[in-house]
Amino acid sequence: MLTPTPTPATGDSLEPTKYRAWSLAVIALVAVALASPSVLVDKEPYNFDESAFLTTGTYFSSAIQDLGGFLSNPVQWSKDYYNQNPCISLRRHPPLFFVFEGISYTFFGTNYVAARLALMACTVAVSVGFFLVSHRYFKDSALAITATLLLLAVTCRVPAIQEGWLDVPTMAWAIWGLYFWDLWRTESQIRYGVGFAFCCLCALYTYQLSLFLIVAMFGIAGLYWLYPKADLSGSSSPMPFRGFLGVPIGFFLLLLPLIAFTIVLG
């Protein structure tokens, strides 16, 4: 008599762990290959958005180089810097990606290649995160690779992974937030809730438009927490989203500076 093979739970897989690790490496290499033309080929910025975003990173690289002066009087230092370089877009956009740009400028010099290296890192993070999310649902690396390649095929049709825009960095944080959200749903451990909230905060501190996805994830989490039977798939933990009340409270408190920033300067 044949013994039926049990169906793995969400996120589990019958394939070897080594196979999944090699699949991750393949996805990372493909992402680097797609993003590398903007680094390897001499293609200087030509549109206003990228020029503004690349320039804004110099605010943080200058602050790092003059850390003593910046820390002594951040407000006056920022006003003096803005008077010299008024084209930075820090007043209109959150600062997180520009911080990474500034760090990249500090190590590799102030140029568009250094900024696009930071963007390439975000492209790899998007690809790896999307692969992990897909693998949790497909439970098969081949299908997860296919889904990730479809995402990259759509993304590389636009300049999003070739030029220093905020879309890909925001998407990277949001996708990793979705990954931790699903772990929190299925395993109901508070550490995954904290990881989810942290990634969502980073997404919003990169670009506020990620708010729509984040509100949806918090809304569904609240529904499943109050009424677990709402998950008709039956794949959630019997008590999903453990610690749900504390996570949104901490999330909102840490979001208050960005709300004030957006209202005052946006």
Side-chain angles (χ1 to χ4, degrees):
M1 180 181 297
L2 295 175
T3 303
T5 303
T7 303
T10 302
D12 295 336
S13 175
L14 298 177
E15 66 186 20
T17 304
K18 183 183 294 186
Y19 183 54
R20 197 182 318 175
W22 278 109
S23 300
L24 274 172
V26 169
I27 285 298
L29 288 173
V30 170
V32 170
L34 289 173
S36 59
S38 65
V39 176
L40 300 176
V41 179
D42 186 13
K43 181 186 176 186
E44 295 186 4
Y46 67 91
N47 64 72
F48 171 79
D49 284 342
E50 186 185 22
S51 299
F53 294 155
L54 267 59
T55 302
T56 306
T58 63
Y59 168 86
F60 291 98
S61 62
S62 300
I64 292 172
Q65 294 167 9
D66 185 24
L67 192 59
F70 175 78
L71 294 177
S72 64
N73 193 339
V75 175
Q76 187 59 48
W77 190 96
S78 300
K79 288 181 178 179
D80 293 341
Y81 186 88
Y82 183 76
N83 288 333
Q84 296 179 26
N85 192 1
C87 61
I88 61 174
S89 64
L90 193 59
R91 296 182 302 119
R92 297 190 296 118
H93 298 91
L96 187 57
F97 179 68
F98 304 132
V99 172
F100 289 116
E101 267 189 348
I103 294 172
S104 184
Y105 288 157
T106 302
F107 283 101
F108 303 110
T110 304
N111 54 71
Y112 68 93
V113 173
R116 289 174 183 171
L117 284 173
L119 181 68
M120 180 187 289
C122 295
T123 303
V124 173
V126 165
S127 307
V128 171
F130 192 81
F131 172 87
L132 292 174
V133 171
S134 301
H135 196 279
R136 290 190 60 77
Y137 287 92
F138 295 132
K139 307 177 186 69
D140 180 86
S141 286
L143 289 174
I145 287 177
T146 302
T148 308
L149 291 178
L150 287 173
L151 172 71
L152 289 172
V154 173
T155 309
C156 72
R157 297 282 296 178
V158 296
I161 65 173
Q162 299 289 336
E163 299 177 359
W165 294 359
L166 299 179
D167 304 73
V168 168
T170 309
M171 187 164 61
W173 287 113
I175 285 176
W176 277 94
L178 178 59
Y179 174 67
F180 284 112
W181 181 93
D182 196 61
L183 285 170
W184 193 23
R185 175 182 69 86
T186 56
E187 301 186 23
S188 198
Q189 297 184 31
I190 188 64
R191 57 176 177 161
Y192 295 133
V194 172
F196 160 69
F198 173 77
C199 290
C200 289
L201 281 169
C202 289
L204 288 170
Y205 273 89
T206 303
Y207 201 8
Q208 295 98 326
L209 288 182
S210 54
L211 177 68
F212 300 103
L213 173 62
I214 292 168
V215 168
M217 288 192 286
F218 268 111
I220 295 172
L223 175 64
Y224 286 2
W225 178 70
L226 288 171
Y227 187 61
K229 292 183 179 179
D231 180 13
L232 301 179
S233 70
S235 61
S236 293
S237 165
M239 296 179 62
F241 301 107
R242 188 183 304 275
F244 176 76
L245 284 179
V247 170
I249 292 173
F251 170 84
F252 181 75
L253 290 176
L254 293 174
L255 192 63
L256 287 176
L258 179 62
I259 295 175
F261 172 90
T262 304
I263 293 174
V264 174
L265 298 178

